[in-house]
Amino acid sequence: MIHFPNMTLKRYTYTKQKTDIYGANIHEYEYTDDILVDFQNENKAEVREQYGVEKDNLYKIYIDKNTSLNSSDELEDDEGNRYSILGEVQEYNHFHNYKKAYL
């Protein structure tokens, strides 16, 4: 359960296979579904340093624990901005059941 969902993001999964002009198999991102998230800026300096990003480039999202999200997925907002997941998707099962990811 997420308490303050404020954004819907399009989820793209790295699954679609194609063949390039030389015949080699390549993978592409394919639209999977929309997910409802609580989208926030990350303000902790220690977390920003851990991922090596500047102050305004790191975001965190909270999603329902039953929502499928892989660390290789990409997310896109309504304005066309694409976000990659940094690190692993973290799952919490104490008090409130949710997943957390950094973008």
Side-chain angles (χ1 to χ4, degrees):
M1 167 185 233
I2 336 173
H3 291 288
F4 303 106
N6 61 357
M7 186 180 288
T8 301
L9 296 175
K10 296 178 178 122
R11 183 169 69 101
Y12 292 86
T13 304
Y14 193 60
T15 56
K16 188 175 181 182
Q17 292 188 2
K18 280 180 60 175
T19 305
D20 68 4
I21 59 173
Y22 300 107
N25 289 332
I26 56 173
H27 295 278
E28 288 187 340
Y29 283 98
E30 182 176 40
Y31 172 77
T32 307
D33 57 1
D34 290 345
I35 58 173
L36 188 62
V37 302
D38 180 359
F39 190 89
Q40 301 176 8
N41 288 327
E42 178 56 66
N43 296 322
K44 291 185 182 175
E46 306 89 45
V47 175
R48 290 194 314 262
E49 288 174 10
Q50 177 182 354
Y51 291 108
V53 295
E54 296 295 323
K55 183 176 181 180
D56 296 330
N57 313 28
L58 187 63
Y59 305 99
K60 59 187 170 187
I61 58 170
Y62 297 96
I63 60 174
D64 186 77
K65 72 169 185 159
N66 298 320
T67 303
S68 177
L69 185 64
N70 302 316
S71 58
S72 61
D73 291 347
E74 284 194 353
L75 303 170
E76 184 178 292
D77 63 14
D78 292 338
E79 297 174 3
N81 299 315
R82 278 255 176 137
Y83 304 96
S84 296
I85 296 174
L86 300 173
E88 295 293 322
V89 177
Q90 302 167 358
E91 294 188 34
Y92 297 91
N93 57 8
H94 55 282
F95 299 118
H96 306 288
N97 295 321
Y98 63 90
K99 292 181 184 179
K100 177 180 173 182
Y102 290 102
L103 310 177

